[in-house]
Amino acid sequence: MPLLEAENLRIHIRSEDGLARAVDGVSFSLEPGEALALVGESGCGKSLTALGIMGLLPSAAFYAGGTLKFQGNDILGLSENNRRKLRGREMAMVFQDPMQFLNPVLTCGEQVAESLLVLEKKSSREAQQRVQELFREVGLPDPERQARQYPHELSGGMRQRVLIAMALTLRPKLLIADEPTTALDATVQAQILLLLRKLAREKNMALLIITHDLNAVSQVADRVAVMYAGKIVETLSVQKLFTRPRHPYARALLNSMPARVPVDQPLRGIPGQVPDPKQPPAGCRFHPRCSRILPLCSQKEPALIGGVACHNPWEG
Ligand SMILES: Nc1ncnc2c1ncn2[C@@H]1O[C@H](COP(=O)(O)OP(=O)(O)OP(=O)(O)O)[C@@H](O)[C@H]1O
Ligand SMILES: [Mg+2]
């Protein structure tokens, strides 16, 4: 049974000038222990999908349809109280900016210990021991010392490790990481990604990693879901993504990767822009930017069949 299964998930946002269909029919599944990367340009709905899974939608956003199952059970129908119980215990999330989620007036040890004391009813001694253990697991150099330090005393990479330790505290089955390394320099980025992969494997924990960095994808993920304008347009193995993606958008993403552009040529993004989710184009949402457009593409929305949602995909 998949650990997580989204079917036709829709998350819309109310605003003064209309309804934004930011996540608009997302389907994918995640097996226990699997590492799935969710990729796509800025504004495609990646973060909102993650927040939707966690049950942490911003106040203007709401579930507009579809289903979301965790271990076979519907979670969209759960009460806020039960949803809260799932968070932390079953699923946890790390974000791009650890400072936003760390309390500046508590030591790193105190804040990681908190859920152990409150939810697991551990003694303070037990909690302290477990914190040290967690800090060692996430590769903090001197766990005893870092437990006594305040967030501002640590480097960005170390803070991210503390946040990862916090996410792991209650041994979740799913860890969602939303651009966990974007704020860090390249070497530290690679270290954190390797850490996430190692932890996920050791603990048979599924990983949903959100990134627009395809290099990061190759370092952590088994499979990739390519998202465009609120929809998953292709799901494929990492190997396939780098060799023969079928959706023209997935190919365009791949071709816009810096490493693929000869050094003497300017970096090129994909021409055009992600559409406004308040007024998505009819038919396939990618058709105005697509190099393989057919007349059908502006009329009929392609279904996700055999892992790709396209009327005229490349051969796989
Ligand atoms: N709280 C909010 N209020 C209004 N609109 C929002 C809110 N959060 C997201 N949106 C809109 O929903 C769409 C999807 O946003 P989302 O943050 O999920 O994109 P993303 O794929 O994570 O992008 P990025 O790569 O830049 O993080 C965007 O058009 C965004 O403007
Ligand atoms: Mg985002």
Side-chain angles (χ1 to χ4, degrees):
M1 186 203 299
L3 180 69
L4 180 73
E5 211 173 358
E7 225 179 277
N8 218 1
L9 181 66
R10 293 176 200 275
I11 299 170
H12 294 173
I13 302 171
R14 286 182 209 90
S15 76
E16 279 176 13
D17 53 342
L19 191 69
R21 293 185 271 154
V23 173
D24 209 28
V26 158
S27 303
F28 70 91
S29 70
L30 185 60
E31 296 300 317
E34 188 184 30
L36 177 74
L38 188 57
V39 303
E41 285 164 289
S42 190
C44 280
K46 304 182 298 295
S47 294
L48 221 46
T49 301
L51 294 172
I53 295 166
M54 289 294 289
L56 294 172
L57 290 184
S59 56
F62 61 98
Y63 297 99
T67 58
L68 197 54
K69 286 183 182 161
F70 188 78
Q71 297 183 304
N73 301 313
D74 163 66
I75 56 171
L76 291 184
L78 288 180
S79 66
E80 178 45 36
N81 201 17
N82 285 329
R83 205 68 197 280
R84 194 177 310 124
K85 283 184 190 155
L86 271 185
R87 285 197 290 275
R89 282 183 196 284
E90 305 285 348
M91 49 173 85
M93 186 160 170
V94 292
F95 300 85
Q96 180 177 333
D97 175 16
M99 263 328 225
Q100 217 183 316
F101 297 90
L102 291 170
N103 187 333
V105 302
L106 293 179
T107 65
C108 294
E110 283 167 341
Q111 37 204 316
V112 176
E114 198 172 87
S115 57
L116 292 166
L117 297 169
V118 177
L119 297 172
E120 302 256 284
K121 314 274 183 250
K122 294 258 193 273
S123 72
S124 119
R125 206 192 133 86
E126 283 172 325
Q128 270 178 29
Q129 269 172 5
R130 176 88 178 111
V131 168
Q132 308 269 319
E133 207 179 288
L134 282 162
F135 279 10
R136 235 187 322 276
E137 280 184 50
V138 299
L140 283 163
D142 183 352
E144 242 171 273
R145 175 144 186 268
Q146 275 91 55
R148 279 183 276 113
Q149 286 179 306
Y150 290 89
H152 71 264
E153 298 179 277
L154 304 183
S155 67
M158 278 160 82
R159 286 201 282 264
Q160 194 55 286
R161 288 177 197 266
V162 170
L163 211 66
I164 293 169
M166 199 184 281
L168 295 178
T169 311
L170 301 177
R171 301 187 173 88
K173 298 188 181 71
L174 168 65
L175 179 65
I176 302 180
D178 190 355
E179 307 273 5
T181 62
T182 318
L184 306 170
D185 70 51
T187 332
V188 183
Q189 280 192 11
Q191 289 166 357
I192 298 281
L193 293 171
L194 283 174
L195 170 69
L196 286 172
R197 188 175 71 174
K198 172 174 156 278
L199 290 168
R201 289 202 174 147
E202 280 171 9
K203 296 173 187 301
N204 194 31
M205 175 176 72
L207 200 58
L208 178 63
I209 180 147
I210 296 176
T211 178
H212 34 250
D213 176 1
L214 295 193
N215 284 311
V217 170
S218 63
Q219 293 180 52
V220 280
D222 307 311
R223 218 154 48 89
V224 184
V226 181
M227 191 160 182
Y228 184 74
K231 292 179 184 295
I232 305 281
V233 296
E234 185 168 4
T235 56
L236 71 179
S237 69
V238 168
Q239 198 196 3
K240 271 268 152 74
L241 175 74
F242 287 99
T243 51
R244 305 177 77 85
R246 299 187 60 207
H247 198 286
Y249 179 63
R251 286 245 167 157
L253 268 186
L254 183 66
N255 289 332
S256 69
M257 257 182 91
R260 300 205 148 222
V261 181
V263 279
D264 54 347
Q265 276 178 31
L267 237 180
R268 61 200 164 109
I270 306 170
Q273 276 176 355
V274 176
D276 179 351
K278 291 187 195 92
Q279 291 160 327
C284 170
R285 291 183 178 187
F286 188 58
H287 86 260
R289 301 171 77 186
C290 187
S291 57
R292 289 174 64 86
I293 185 170
L294 302 175
L296 179 64
C297 300
S298 57
Q299 291 154 22
K300 189 168 179 272
E301 196 176 318
L304 187 64
I305 296 168
V308 59
C310 178
H311 293 306
N312 189 22
W314 294 90
E315 261 178 51

